[in-house]
Amino acid sequence: MSVAVATTTGDARPALFRGRARAPSGGPRVDWRLAAPLGLAYLVFFAAPFAILFGISFYADAEQTRLGLDSWIKFYGDLFYLKVVFDTLKLGVFAVVATTILAYPLALVFRAAGPRARQALVLIILTPLLTSVVIRTFAWIVILAREGVVNQSLMALGLTSTPLNLLQTELGLVIALTQIEMPLMLLPLLTLMSRMDQNLVDGSRALGASQARTFFKVILPLTLPGWIAGATLVFASAATAFISQSVIGGARLVYLPALIWQQSTVVYNWPFAAVASLTLLFAVLAGIMVLGLLGRFARTD
Amino acid sequence: MQRATAGDLAYRLLVRGLAGLAILILLAPVVIVVATSFTTSQTLRFPPPDLSLRWYRELFDPVRSGPIHAAAWNSVWVAGTATLAATVLTVLAALAVARVKRPSARILEAGFLSPLVLPTLSYGLAALMFFSVLGIRPSLNILIAGHLVVIAPFVFRTTLASLAGLDQTLLEASANLGASRFYGFRRITLPLIAPGILAGAFLAFVSSMDNVPVSLFLSNARTGMLPIRMWGMMESTLDVRVAAIAGVLIASTLALLLVVDRLTGLTRRMSA
């Protein structure tokens, strides 16, 4: 092994190991040999299944004998299914709003806290994140049930004489999803908060702005990218949270994930389930794009 | 220097109040589930009337809880295998795109991260259709393939972040001193990015153990997975054993977190 060998192997070396000086005009290139194994796994096990899903949606009947747009027309021609789509998106929006209202104050407290308190807060945020979603859903049944913690407290305080029905309501579901999804909002928000330049906040305060004004004019715009990252995850996750939706929402509240599951494994109408599934995919992507546009709009502002 | 006005005081109260509520909402469910798991009662009433290990004994009984044990081992096997495979493939892919400032690298990155935001439930159904069109019967292997794809982004993200923070001059120095590419990778790159890889692998493993959308469609009675079985137990009767499973899962995840935290400084880095 000599220095000469190391330098003459030039372009054949993976991007990571190539010096900047020898790199072509555009910098290092993607080493396709290293990217190929994962790329192939994604093509076979990720892209191909979506292609099959798309294909199956164009069968006209549950038995998959005839091609046609019947499944699409059945879904988009029925107000019931359109309302299910609307409710699913609404649930995602509610979850984003609720997690925002609680996550921002916690992130502000985190920013002002010392190193020990910060580490404790990170643990508090990680604990629910590392507790399975099924368990967190189960916990909310214990809390929201007729003889649950909330009802017992309300009755002990004399605020209500009969237990409130919180399970199988949209309100109960939003409360549960707030806890289940909040860590997804907090993690990117905390990263942005700790990176923020304290001088800008101090400057705003020194120039006489109130704390609230400082928050809306300085902190909020500076942490918006973190909020958008968090909101994207919360929205996508809440809209597709099958177990929370079906266990806490019950049979009366129908959302797209339950519809997909029921159509594919109970009714066994795969083309129709494929249409519902693609609709969920596009609806979530549309929501993410709206959030992304919001970020671009905010940055140019 | 700054005078606190009434508005500032109200703002501070509002922020602290909401932050307190946030902490309460984050922690209360975990505390309540763990407390409920030690109940003597048949019901999930909180606070429990008295404490006992009754439901843990019930859960660890190999006869009465046999299907739960089988599902738990299936979940651990699938999560372990999928995490191992995802980690190897993902570290290679991260090496391929790190520090490359070309559109091709951005496209690959977005593709490898896409399962994080795409509804995995749609993917679960797609995977079911894919394997059934190919005539492949449900097995733990197809669950591993399905899990691999949706957990790989966790490792990819942390590995990429570690690679971005890597000091390139170390590798250049090693190459100039005549070290081979592989030697440089093994002795310099790998030790420096290992904490990032480990943190990602931990998140991937936990997320596979917790996965519902893919297992919902790819598992069946024979290849039952733990979260799906727990869902079944919650839907039919409110079995208190679910609380005991929760207790076991929370304890083992926290133990794993403490080990990973020791090795990688996960919480320290996140709070920096």
Side-chain angles (χ1 to χ4, degrees):
Chain A
M1 268 299 147
S2 69
V3 180
V5 174
T7 45
T8 48
T9 45
D11 265 15
R13 282 183 292 159
L16 182 74
F17 303 107
R18 211 180 298 134
R20 203 173 301 157
R22 270 187 310 279
S25 54
R29 292 164 184 277
V30 171
D31 189 321
W32 293 101
R33 291 167 307 168
L34 290 177
L38 188 65
L40 215 61
Y42 266 60
L43 275 184
V44 175
F45 294 123
F46 199 63
F50 273 117
I52 301 261
L53 180 76
F54 192 66
I56 284 183
S57 79
F58 293 105
Y59 277 113
D61 53 339
E63 291 74 32
Q64 300 179 39
T65 53
R66 262 177 330 104
L67 291 177
L69 289 173
D70 303 42
S71 304
W72 287 91
I73 292 166
K74 183 182 163 199
F75 189 94
Y76 284 93
D78 193 328
L79 274 180
F80 172 78
Y81 297 122
L82 294 180
K83 185 167 182 310
V84 171
V85 176
F86 176 77
D87 286 345
T88 308
L89 293 177
K90 195 174 69 171
L91 188 67
V93 171
F94 280 168
V96 168
V97 171
T99 49
T100 303
I101 292 173
L102 289 177
Y104 253 108
L106 191 57
L108 288 172
V109 168
F110 174 84
R111 196 178 68 85
R116 285 232 147 247
R118 277 191 174 198
Q119 214 168 341
L121 278 176
V122 166
L123 264 182
I124 289 176
I125 295 157
L126 279 181
T127 307
L129 191 68
L130 297 177
T131 315
S132 133
V133 170
V134 183
I135 293 172
R136 280 181 274 164
T137 302
F138 172 75
W140 283 101
I141 294 177
V142 180
I143 296 170
L144 298 174
R146 290 184 76 83
E147 69 276 19
V149 183
V150 171
N151 271 322
Q152 278 179 11
S153 319
L154 288 179
M155 282 157 77
L157 292 170
L159 290 173
T160 174
S161 51
T162 50
L164 299 175
N165 215 351
L166 290 167
L167 284 181
Q168 314 201 349
T169 64
E170 198 178 36
L171 175 68
L173 183 54
V174 171
I175 293 174
L177 283 176
T178 303
Q179 189 251 352
I180 292 171
E181 314 295 358
M182 200 165 17
L184 298 179
M185 173 68 86
L186 277 167
L187 291 179
L189 210 52
L190 294 190
T191 312
L192 265 276
M193 278 280 181
S194 38
R195 258 194 243 145
M196 193 173 60
D197 188 355
Q198 180 62 33
N199 290 327
L200 294 171
V201 179
D202 292 342
S204 161
R205 296 282 292 140
L207 290 172
S210 70
Q211 287 198 324
R213 195 178 158 81
T214 305
F215 173 74
F216 284 109
K217 290 285 173 187
V218 180
I219 299 176
L220 191 62
L222 283 175
T223 53
L224 205 61
W227 178 81
I228 287 166
T232 304
L233 293 174
V234 170
F235 176 79
S237 181
T240 60
F242 172 75
I243 293 221
S244 313
Q245 289 170 4
S246 71
V247 175
I248 297 174
R252 279 193 303 134
L253 298 171
V254 183
Y255 298 99
L256 265 178
L259 184 72
I260 294 167
W261 183 76
Q262 182 218 3
Q263 288 293 326
S264 60
T265 57
V266 183
V267 181
Y268 229 69
N269 187 344
W270 277 18
F272 194 69
V275 171
S277 192
L278 288 166
T279 302
L280 179 68
L281 185 72
F282 295 141
V284 169
L285 283 181
I288 292 169
M289 274 168 70
V290 169
L291 283 167
L293 283 177
L294 211 67
R296 194 164 303 168
F297 174 74
R299 234 169 287 152
T300 53
D301 194 19
Chain B
M1 189 176 76
Q2 293 158 8
R3 271 178 306 122
T5 62
D8 280 352
L9 211 62
Y11 171 84
R12 222 171 289 168
L13 272 179
L14 186 69
V15 166
R16 296 225 175 122
L18 286 173
L21 185 63
I23 290 176
L24 180 76
I25 284 193
L26 281 173
L27 284 187
V30 181
V31 174
I32 286 172
V33 161
V34 173
T36 309
S37 71
F38 292 107
T39 190
T40 47
S41 153
Q42 290 273 11
T43 66
L44 293 165
R45 182 179 287 275
F46 181 89
D50 218 338
L51 300 178
S52 79
L53 288 175
R54 170 183 176 187
W55 295 105
Y56 284 93
R57 268 198 298 276
E58 191 92 354
L59 177 66
F60 284 110
D61 189 301
V63 180
R64 272 173 294 179
S65 299
I68 300 176
H69 295 184
W73 288 123
N74 283 346
S75 278
V76 170
W77 168 250
V78 168
T81 319
T83 302
L84 199 67
T87 303
V88 173
L89 296 184
T90 304
V91 169
L92 291 177
L95 286 171
V97 300
R99 290 179 178 268
V100 182
K101 290 181 180 62
R102 284 168 188 266
S104 53
R106 292 291 85 73
I107 292 168
L108 271 182
E109 241 178 80
F112 289 148
L113 289 174
S114 63
L116 278 185
V117 283
L118 290 182
T120 36
L121 195 93
S122 296
Y123 169 68
L125 178 63
L128 169 69
M129 290 173 171
F130 171 74
F131 287 117
S132 115
V133 164
L134 290 182
I136 299 172
R137 295 249 196 88
S139 71
L140 290 180
N141 290 336
I142 70 168
L143 276 157
I144 291 169
H147 278 221
L148 190 160
V149 181
V150 297
I151 66 173
F154 291 104
V155 194
F156 188 68
R157 213 171 34 177
T158 55
T159 308
L160 214 53
S162 310
L163 281 171
L166 195 69
D167 187 354
Q168 284 301 295
T169 52
L170 291 175
L171 286 166
E172 283 165 22
S174 130
N176 287 338
L177 292 171
S180 73
R181 265 191 294 146
F182 183 69
Y183 189 83
F185 170 74
R186 197 164 57 85
R187 295 301 296 268
I188 298 173
T189 310
L190 196 57
L192 286 174
I193 65 171
I197 297 174
L198 190 63
F202 168 69
L203 292 176
F205 181 84
V206 171
S207 117
S208 168
M209 284 296 293
D210 192 17
N211 182 288
V212 169
V214 176
S215 300
L216 187 65
F217 291 101
L218 294 187
S219 71
N220 62 14
R222 209 167 42 78
T223 60
M225 301 289 277
L226 191 59
I228 308 297
R229 178 152 288 277
M230 288 168 73
W231 171 53
M233 291 166 76
M234 282 157 61
E235 285 265 281
S236 50
T237 55
L238 270 180
D239 196 327
V240 187
R241 276 183 302 175
V242 179
I245 301 174
V248 173
L249 282 179
I250 291 171
S252 36
T253 314
L254 274 182
L256 199 59
L257 172 68
L258 288 180
V259 172
V260 171
D261 194 36
R262 259 293 157 81
L263 294 174
T264 68
L266 191 67
T267 53
R268 215 170 346 105
R269 259 190 296 156
M270 285 170 73
S271 56

